[in-house]
Amino acid sequence: VAAQIAEGKFPTEAGGVRVLVGGVPAPLLYVSATQINAILPFDLGDDPVAPVVVERDGVPGNVFAMTVVEAAPGPFQQAPPNASFGAILNQNGTLNSLANPARAGSVVSLWASGLGAFSPPLADGEIVGTTGPFPGLEAEISVEFCAIPTEVRYAGVAPGLAAGIAQINFVVPKGISSGLAPVRIRA
């Protein structure tokens, strides 16, 4: 079951399934017999471990523990067979690849989750609008390209996507050799 967005938010129940993280219902993106895609709620308190339970038609399953941290950057990747490449758009809006590299000095965009809270705060599961002003990230974001610090032009919500997904626009440093280049995000 793909979750149906209602009133600008992802639901916390789909197909009779709910996921509670630290007692807080998590917004659901997708539910099947073998997989559940959920968005962690923003406010899980200060405890570094949160109990997680999946309910089906109000019946709770086993409780398991999940480690919770303030930020754990997770950049999105391209689909196989290019899964080792980040989901990065070049300045001209085309997908970055070996055959379509970014030019030094250009601004590229990438998307990630796990970068922490936004300011002003967003509701769990909220779909972000497409007109600004846009909430920024509370954490300071830095990006390294081939271990070289880059200029971050924007780090905040990803317009039109679910709260919790961040967009980072940064400048590709000059003097970089062509080919594969590792990108590191820090929050």
Side-chain angles (χ1 to χ4, degrees), residues 7-178:
E7 298 179 13
K9 293 173 76 175
F10 281 96
T12 57
E13 185 276 329
V17 173
R18 287 190 339 146
V19 176
L20 301 171
V21 183
V24 179
L28 300 175
L29 305 174
Y30 174 80
V31 174
S32 77
T34 58
Q35 178 177 327
I36 298 172
N37 295 355
I39 301 170
L40 285 179
F42 282 113
D43 188 13
L44 293 175
D46 296 326
D47 195 336
V49 178
V52 179
V53 64
V54 176
E55 290 182 352
R56 170 78 168 140
D57 295 326
V59 179
N62 294 334
V63 176
F64 62 93
M66 180 172 69
T67 304
V68 179
V69 294
E70 237 178 272
F76 291 176
Q77 297 175 286
Q78 293 183 32
N82 298 316
S84 61
F85 292 93
I88 298 174
L89 290 185
N90 293 332
Q91 187 167 326
N92 64 4
T94 61
L95 188 62
N96 181 274
S97 68
L98 280 175
N100 189 35
R103 306 278 182 242
S106 67
V107 177
V108 297
S109 300
L110 66 76
W111 290 263
S113 62
L115 296 175
F118 293 90
S119 181
L122 298 167
D124 292 336
E126 177 181 349
I127 303 298
V128 176
T130 56
T131 57
F134 299 114
L137 288 157
E138 286 187 0
E140 184 177 325
I141 304 298
S142 64
V143 177
E144 292 177 1
F145 195 91
C146 291
I148 298 172
T150 69
E151 177 189 350
V152 174
R153 295 268 179 99
Y154 173 80
V157 298
L161 299 179
I165 299 173
Q167 178 177 330
I168 303 171
N169 301 343
F170 64 93
V171 178
V172 176
K174 295 185 177 179
I176 301 289
S177 304
S178 61

